[in-house]
Amino acid sequence: MSRSVFLDREVEAAGPVTAGDTVELAPGVARHLAVTRIRVGEEFDLVDGAGLRLRAVLAADGAGAAEGTRVRVLSVVREERTGPELVLVQALAKGERDAQAIEAATEIGVDRVIPWQAARSIAQWPAKKEQKAHARWRSLLEAATQQSRRSRAPELEQLARGRGIAARLREDDLVLVLHEEAREHLADLLAGMPADAGAQARAHPRIVLVVGPEGGISGEEIEAFAAAGARPVLLGPTVLRASSAGPAGLVLVQAALGRWAARGESPRPAEQID
């Protein structure tokens, strides 16, 4: 069984960490360790959400502490980010389906999430509640990062509204709008892409998947995406919910990039100190 992972963004706040160091955890992380009943001598991973992975054990003097738990570092790995960057534009959706989508997307390997209040979104983030809703999405992404044993947490952008989402796109993005009326199938489009992730990253540093709300993407929004060079694509013969469309598309992209096959390139450490 793989080691448990705990996210502590401040683990190197006092400076770079090397094997043999003893570090003090943020109180919230320490409490998380206590709840999961990690024992002295039991190995686990500490990550900072930006590629740093520490293999560590509880220090004997930190066992059971509710705050200020200290851990001893056994090894340090800094994992490189591999391109292209995978971006999910997720429309707000009712019934927590948007939350389900971003959790699953994190497990699958998304690098960046953009919440989108589309014209037909039933769910809304009112201005006075926007930051609270944004913080909740960040918490969901961080929890999913730990659950999926990732060292990098997805970046979460601020909410985009309506056609304003098009301003978030870049000229060299490959933007794929998942749309039930599209004629081009995503699998067919991906089959024509370079199988080498590095070559694809040079052609398109970012692959952006756009998922609309329950009521679909409005005509004005489709026009804005088309003006930005986006391509509408179809996932398959069935209509997927907002909770499953993005993750399904990401699985196809990951497979096309070779990341989920034996021939694929797994993340390699840029630096390892044992």
Side-chain angles (χ1 to χ4, degrees), residues 163 166-167 169-171 175 177 219-232:
R163 288 178 293 175
L169 306 177
R170 305 172 184 172
E171 289 186 4
V175 183
V177 180
E220 293 79 5
E221 289 165 340
I222 288 290
E223 291 175 2
F225 281 123
R231 300 171 69 170

Side-chain angles (χ1 to χ4, degrees), residues 9 26 40 76 131 156 160 172 206 216 220 224 240 249 252 266:
R9 294 185 182 275
V40 173
V76 179
Q131 290 310 307
L156 178 62
D172 55 2
R206 303 198 314 175
E220 293 79 5
L240 278 67
L252 291 176
S266 58

Side-chain angles (χ1 to χ4, degrees), residues 12-273:
E12 283 196 314
V17 176
T18 60
D21 288 349
T22 300
V23 298
E24 187 166 335
L25 301 178
V29 181
R31 286 191 292 271
H32 191 183
L33 259 72
V35 169
T36 54
R37 300 183 179 180
I38 295 290
R39 296 166 296 188
V40 173
E42 182 179 351
E43 294 186 7
F44 56 91
D45 285 358
L46 274 178
V47 300
D48 69 347
L52 175 68
R53 185 184 298 273
L54 310 179
R55 182 166 58 93
V57 293
L58 274 176
D61 62 353
E67 294 186 356
T69 298
R70 297 179 64 79
V71 301
R72 180 163 53 87
V73 178
L74 303 179
S75 66
V76 179
V77 173
R78 301 182 189 275
E79 296 174 356
E80 294 179 334
R81 184 190 293 278
T82 58
E85 182 181 48
L86 303 184
V87 182
L88 174 64
V89 174
Q90 177 63 53
L92 305 187
K94 64 179 182 179
E96 297 292 309
R97 293 194 179 102
D98 49 11
Q100 296 168 26
I102 65 171
E103 287 179 310
T106 300
E107 296 168 11
I108 293 165
V110 75
D111 297 303
R112 183 177 299 273
V113 172
I114 304 176
W116 177 34
Q117 187 168 298
R120 296 176 180 171
S121 288
I122 297 173
Q124 302 282 319
W125 284 7
K128 63 181 180 180
K129 296 182 178 180
E130 181 176 330
Q131 290 310 307
K132 182 178 180 180
H134 186 272
R136 181 173 179 276
W137 273 38
R138 182 176 298 282
S139 179
L140 291 171
L141 295 180
E142 291 183 348
T145 295
Q146 294 175 101
Q147 187 278 329
S148 55
R149 311 295 197 262
R150 291 179 56 168
S151 67
R152 291 184 178 274
E155 298 290 335
L156 178 62
E157 293 193 10
Q158 293 297 319
L159 179 70
R161 298 179 185 273
R163 288 178 293 175
I165 183 61
R168 304 283 186 92
L169 306 177
R170 305 172 184 172
E171 289 186 4
D172 55 2
D173 286 344
L174 175 59
V175 183
L176 307 172
V177 180
L178 305 184
H179 197 278
E180 62 181 303
E181 296 181 3
R183 296 184 178 181
E184 185 175 23
H185 283 255
L186 177 59
D188 293 337
L189 182 150
L190 295 174
M193 286 176 21
D196 176 70
Q200 179 58 38
R202 289 188 291 273
H204 298 288
R206 303 198 314 175
I207 298 177
V208 183
L209 294 182
V210 179
V211 177
E214 301 93 330
I217 302 174
S218 72
E220 293 79 5
E221 289 165 340
I222 288 290
E223 291 175 2
F225 281 123
R231 300 171 69 170
V233 292
L234 187 66
L235 277 174
T238 60
V239 177
L240 278 67
R241 290 184 181 272
S243 58
S244 54
L250 286 167
V251 167
L252 291 176
V253 173
Q254 291 283 46
L257 293 174
R259 293 173 175 171
W260 283 19
R263 62 182 172 82
E265 298 179 358
S266 58
R268 302 298 184 188
E271 177 183 1
Q272 179 168 342
I273 307 172

